[in-house]
Amino acid sequence: MSDDRAFTYNGGAVPPGDTQNIRYGISETYLGDPVRIPVTIVNGERDGPTAFLTAAAHGDELNGIEVVREVAHEWDLSELAGTLVCLPVLNVPGFLAQQRYLPVYDRDLNRSFPGKPESTSSKRMAYQIYENFIAPCDFGLDFHTSTRGRTNMLHVRADMTDEAVYRLAMAFGSKVVIDSDGPSGTLRGEATDDGIPTITIEMGEAHRFQRPLIDDALDGVRSVFAEYGLLETDAVRWPGWRTIVAGAGEKTWLRADSGGIVDTHFESGSLVREGERIATITNPFKEDAVAVEAPFTGLLIGLLENPVVYPGNPLCHLVEIGESTRRAIEAGDAPSPVGQPTPSE
């Protein structure tokens, strides 16, 4: 940042009190045409932190796009204290093709940060994004969904051993926080390592807008802005109950031991008890039923959407919860089972 608080990037500057919508070139196509990402920079008249909001690092993950767009273009930011850097579509080539990875050798943009200016195409793109729009920031929110064929309960992933990240994750106010380091090359992991606390928000499934999840995430953004003083009128939220999941023993992906057609008996976000049947796998004749049971009492934060599996395919992501959290959920804050089989089945 310069002394006059202008937000500067390679090729431009946004002075205090100004908002700019730009299409920033990060690469070129096979035809030599520019690959440009949309960026909205809102620089408030009052001093404050600089925050980034990013979405669609995987091109088919759409829920976060609407979160970032609504903050940038529908919220009243006239009293903003600080600067917002809003990047609703990081992976433009993947977004145009409606696929997860860059269509250039199927590389994962979210394993390419902070990038290198003289490396692979994905790392060159990541470098342009990171150096111009991430490195100048004080903290960030990175929005994702589950991959195709699965869905996620809204939850945060954050390195809770980092004090600054802990503050950010708690401010967002999700019910579930997965405590983990950001994998190498991810925007979350690399930014945090550079002293820019960043959290990932997982929400729903690919290829669609899911309004309840978008609204929940917007409430989380408002809460973060309140915590860091970007907007004075909003309050930091309390989600009613919260569980922080740390350690490999407290979470597991349950996988299919046989191929077939899956009937799931719970929704994402449901409480399931040890021994309860989460899903049933059968063949096309509805024979040879295989029950998939919960190995411990926990919360389903991720769930299969595509009802066909090979052996080894993931069925659900189950996280362990404490007794007080279980009681809070049982008091009426969890989704109801769907099609739960009777004991005779």
Side-chain angles (χ1 to χ4, degrees), residues 17-234:
D18 194 13
T19 296
Q20 291 185 15
N21 297 319
I22 62 176
R23 295 182 183 270
Y24 191 82
I26 61 170
S27 188
E28 295 178 352
T29 70
Y30 292 130
L31 296 175
D33 297 324
V35 173
R36 298 183 294 184
I37 62 169
V39 186
T40 297
I41 300 169
V42 184
N43 197 349
E45 292 184 352
R46 297 188 295 143
D47 195 13
T50 299
F52 71 81
L53 307 179
T54 53
H58 297 128
D60 58 358
E61 297 181 358
L62 307 185
N63 275 326
I65 294 176
E66 190 61 11
V67 174
V68 178
R69 290 200 314 157
E70 290 194 22
V71 172
H73 303 293
E74 294 187 19
W75 284 16
D76 180 3
L77 300 174
S78 59
E79 298 298 318
L80 181 71
T83 305
L84 294 182
V85 182
C86 299
L87 300 105
V89 183
L90 291 182
N91 184 350
V92 165
F95 175 77
L96 293 175
Q98 273 304 279
Q99 66 183 49
R100 181 177 176 85
Y101 299 126
L102 288 162
V104 185
Y105 307 119
D106 282 335
R107 294 188 183 273
D108 188 346
L109 181 63
N110 203 37
R111 293 297 185 275
S112 302
F113 290 103
K116 292 182 181 179
E118 298 178 354
S119 185
T120 63
S121 55
S122 60
K123 289 190 176 183
R124 291 178 185 224
M125 292 181 194
Y127 177 82
Q128 293 295 331
I129 295 168
Y130 194 90
E131 287 299 306
N132 285 284
F133 303 112
I134 305 302
C137 294
D138 297 307
F139 66 87
L141 307 176
D142 186 29
F143 294 91
H144 287 260
T145 77
S146 188
T147 190
R148 182 180 303 182
R150 300 203 295 268
T151 188
N152 279 331
M153 172 187 182
L154 188 144
H155 67 277
V156 161
R157 298 186 183 184
D159 180 3
M160 300 296 274
T161 63
D162 184 305
E163 184 176 343
V165 175
Y166 180 93
R167 178 190 177 193
L168 180 59
M170 299 299 275
F172 189 84
S174 65
K175 294 183 185 313
V176 176
V177 178
I178 302 294
D179 179 8
S180 65
D181 295 338
S184 177
T186 60
L187 180 55
R188 169 168 77 95
E190 299 300 333
T192 296
D193 286 348
D194 281 349
I196 308 165
T198 301
I199 62 174
T200 293
I201 298 94
E202 293 280 354
M203 45 186 298
E205 56 188 293
H207 291 290
R208 66 194 63 207
F209 283 165
Q210 295 169 287
R211 193 70 238 179
L213 291 171
I214 291 167
D215 289 340
D216 193 5
L218 287 167
D219 287 343
V221 176
R222 290 188 186 94
S223 181
V224 168
F225 285 7
E227 169 69 20
Y228 289 86
L230 283 105
L231 293 176
E232 292 183 347
T233 57
D234 292 308

